[in-house]
Amino acid sequence: MRGNLPAPEGLAGGGASAALLGLSVEPTTAGAARLASAPSPCQRGSRGMLRQAPSARRVALAPAYILHQYAYRDTSRIVEAFTAEYGRLSLFARGANGPKSSLKGVLQPFQRLLLSWSGKTEACALVAAEIDGAPTNLGKERLMSGFYLNELLLKLTERWDPHPEIFFSYASCIEALCTGAGEEAALRRFEKRLLNELGYGLQLTMTEEGLPVEPDRYYRVAVERGPQTCVAEAPCAVYGRSLTDLDAESLEDARSLRDAKRVLRAAIDACLDGRSLKSREVMLALRQTQIRSPQREKL
């Protein structure tokens, strides 16, 4: 795997979610000021191309989701947003915590928004925000799955590197989580699509030798080489039908979901290049205290 993925960052939400996930955020004036006022640097995109924040401009009503935010001084916030047209970007929300701010209560995670901003630095000024469509309601039992999605985007995408298909895949997954659809299947589909769009897609239907995967055989999936035949007792062996089900995004049974999680986790871990996911660490801690928690095997 290539080593040009972005450095670790926080998770979605404000101070409450940051505290929940044990994040180390920068509430200090110096850290936020550096982000808000630094000149725009060139950045390397997920496919290795140079990306650069746009020159002075004003953008109105861009569809977006909030991935993470933290306080700056007394009443302002630094917001990390993910947009369909501009990718991931940082926005300076001046006065967002003030008692009369129109932004108060709007900048919520997992809610599709329309954001307007202006500026020429890497962190532009958020001008306005409004809810796009019906309010979303992600149940508390699925919040960790939402935080997991946000953390993947924060760690595996670059600023100002647009990925419209990832945006719409994220929106679809959030909708599935909110409406009670199968949680694990929704997460696996998003992971697969994310890897595909970032250029790290897996070969699931052809072996390293160029032969089609057979549903009734067992395989080991090498991230960079594809499936290799093996015996059922081999470490990390997955069923051939599970691979074809994952390729078709048809994850209907427990074995397909279990094998898909194993394959996709290995691929995502390779992309993370040794960096940990806070959402997984929290779920591990919960599993240690609540062995029978229904959330224990989702991420």
Side-chain angles (χ1 to χ4, degrees):
M1 286 291 174
R2 289 168 290 181
N4 61 342
L5 295 173
E9 299 192 53
L11 289 180
S17 60
L20 170 66
L21 296 170
L23 298 178
S24 176
V25 297
E26 282 189 284
T28 62
T29 300
R34 182 170 62 253
L35 178 61
S37 62
S40 171
C42 284
Q43 294 182 307
R44 189 168 299 278
S46 59
R47 290 184 175 85
M49 297 181 293
L50 288 177
R51 299 290 181 184
Q52 190 171 20
S55 57
R57 65 187 307 168
R58 184 180 180 93
V59 175
L61 302 177
Y65 286 91
I66 302 300
L67 300 180
H68 174 56
Q69 56 183 298
Y70 59 90
Y72 172 50
R73 293 183 176 172
D74 294 331
T75 61
S76 300
R77 304 193 72 79
I78 299 295
V79 175
E80 196 80 10
F82 188 65
T83 70
E85 188 175 353
Y86 302 94
R88 182 167 64 89
L89 62 152
S90 295
L91 299 171
F92 177 55
R94 186 183 299 276
N97 292 341
K100 298 182 180 180
S101 173
S102 62
L103 300 175
K104 196 173 181 65
V106 177
L107 302 177
Q108 298 297 323
F110 319 125
Q111 172 64 58
R112 181 160 167 153
L113 302 172
L114 296 175
L115 302 183
S116 302
W117 67 84
S118 64
K120 59 182 179 179
T121 63
E122 183 179 317
C124 297
L126 181 63
V127 175
E130 60 186 76
I131 293 175
D132 184 15
T136 59
N137 182 23
L138 185 57
K140 63 180 181 180
E141 71 281 358
R142 294 189 167 190
L143 280 176
M144 287 307 307
S145 291
F147 291 139
Y148 170 71
L149 298 180
N150 287 3
E151 188 175 17
L152 287 179
L153 293 180
L154 284 163
K155 290 189 174 179
L156 296 181
T157 64
E158 294 280 358
R159 289 190 177 93
W160 300 104
D161 185 12
H163 288 281
E165 291 304 317
I166 294 178
F167 179 88
F168 294 116
S169 293
Y170 175 88
S172 176
C173 189
I174 291 296
E175 181 180 4
L177 293 176
C178 289
T179 57
E183 186 174 7
E184 289 193 66
L187 293 176
R188 302 295 84 82
R189 291 188 188 102
F190 176 77
E191 291 167 340
K192 173 179 175 286
R193 296 171 186 178
L194 175 65
L195 290 168
N196 286 344
E197 288 300 318
L198 292 177
Y200 299 107
L202 297 170
Q203 173 56 260
L204 298 169
T205 60
M206 300 291 289
T207 68
E208 187 178 15
E209 295 78 19
L211 300 174
V213 167
E214 299 179 34
D216 296 325
R217 298 193 68 176
Y218 286 86
Y219 298 86
R220 287 180 309 207
V221 179
V223 173
E224 295 183 345
R225 297 195 302 272
Q228 302 167 304
T229 56
C230 67
V231 297
E233 296 78 15
C236 300
V238 297
Y239 200 44
R241 190 176 302 278
S242 296
L243 295 179
T244 57
D245 285 348
L246 178 56
D247 184 68
E249 299 185 2
S250 177
L251 302 169
E252 305 294 337
D253 61 80
R255 178 159 62 178
S256 289
L257 285 169
R258 183 178 62 249
D259 287 346
K261 176 184 175 181
R262 179 182 297 170
V263 169
L264 291 168
R265 172 172 283 195
I268 289 172
D269 286 347
C271 290
L272 289 169
D273 196 24
R275 290 173 288 155
S276 63
L277 291 172
K278 291 292 185 182
S279 49
R280 284 185 188 168
E281 293 177 2
V282 171
M283 289 311 304
L284 179 60
L286 291 176
R287 187 165 62 214
Q288 292 173 343
T289 57
Q290 297 178 324
I291 300 300
R292 297 185 181 275
S293 169
Q295 284 280 331
R296 68 183 185 277
E297 294 294 338
K298 299 297 191 298
L299 309 185

